[in-house]
Amino acid sequence: MSNLSKSTVKSATRFARAVSWMAHPLVFVTVSVGIVVVSQLTRRDALSILLVLFVSVILPTALLLFGGVRSGHWSDADISVRMERKRFYPVIIPLLAIGIVALWSLRASNFVLRGALVTFALFILAAIANFRIKLSLHALFAFYCSVILFRINPLFGGIAFALAITLFWSRLYLRRHDVAEMLLGTLLGFGGGMVAAWWP
């Protein structure tokens, strides 16, 4: 392989890794939730909901992911090994349930509650699918959030879709998933987004 080819491959790998980190489900979902809540609610209500979600779901999930890597429970923060996800889903799903209860207690809007319930359902479906296939959570939540953001603001939605499509390429390029795993995650995410944001 020529030096030029090696340099091209190295640059492509760095770019793919950067995209993969920028569009990590925790990052993508956190930013998307922030945009949705701030654009749909009053400042006071938005701050209350963001604070509750941060304390009940986002922070515990971050600690779970990165603490799991440090302790050796996960091979990486993506939890790329299917067998490791069998220990991940039984923890993350109850965390989401706590978040939903917290949102309900705050009397969050139907739009926000429906999004939380659909997210909960998507994790349950992913956990069930994990018995047979390691679907891409990156793709699932990138396309899920993109559909919702497009409903909120077409510009934000378009940017999110462009990032989601680039992410699709990056996960394949890095060989974290095969085409079937990416497509399943994409379809679930797209369907979930339609239910959360566009269902009557």
Side-chain angles (χ1 to χ4, degrees):
M1 184 181 291
S2 67
N3 290 334
L4 179 60
S5 297
K6 289 180 180 178
S7 177
T8 301
V9 170
K10 190 174 182 180
S11 296
T13 301
R14 285 178 177 174
F15 177 70
R17 286 175 177 167
V19 170
S20 186
W21 272 106
M22 284 191 299
H24 188 281
L26 185 61
V27 177
F28 216 127
V29 171
T30 300
V31 173
S32 298
V33 167
I35 293 172
V36 170
V37 169
V38 169
S39 64
Q40 295 292 300
L41 304 175
T42 64
R43 181 179 298 180
R44 181 178 179 180
D45 290 342
L47 288 174
S48 297
I49 286 176
L50 288 175
L51 180 60
V52 165
L53 286 177
F54 180 79
V55 172
S56 63
V57 179
I58 296 170
L59 181 59
T61 301
L63 294 174
L64 174 66
L65 291 176
F66 295 103
V69 173
R70 288 177 62 91
S71 66
H73 282 89
W74 328 125
S75 56
D76 53 52
D78 297 340
I79 314 182
S80 298
V81 178
R82 186 168 67 88
M83 296 305 293
E84 292 177 355
R85 292 190 177 188
K86 289 185 176 181
R87 299 194 299 270
F88 170 70
Y89 288 119
V91 178
I92 191 65
I93 290 173
L95 279 179
L96 290 170
I98 291 171
I100 291 170
V101 171
L103 288 174
W104 179 78
S105 68
L106 283 176
R107 297 183 179 179
S109 68
N110 289 336
F111 188 84
V112 172
L113 275 174
R114 181 162 59 177
L117 288 169
V118 172
T119 302
F120 182 77
L122 287 173
F123 264 108
I124 291 176
L125 290 174
I128 294 170
N130 194 64
F131 287 103
R132 299 296 299 273
I133 184 174
K134 186 192 71 174
L135 65 80
S136 172
L137 292 176
H138 275 72
L140 192 160
F141 286 105
F143 284 96
Y144 174 61
C145 292
S146 297
V147 172
I148 295 173
L149 288 174
F150 196 83
R151 174 67 185 271
I152 299 299
N153 185 307
L155 175 60
F156 289 151
I159 294 171
F161 269 118
L163 180 56
I165 291 169
T166 307
L167 173 69
F168 192 104
W169 163 81
S170 75
R171 301 301 286 176
L172 290 175
Y173 184 84
L174 294 172
R175 298 181 180 178
R176 296 297 180 89
H177 294 280
D178 59 30
V179 174
E181 292 168 346
M182 292 300 297
L183 286 176
L184 180 57
T186 298
L187 290 173
L188 275 177
F190 193 86
M194 292 297 293
V195 172
W198 297 86
W199 199 263

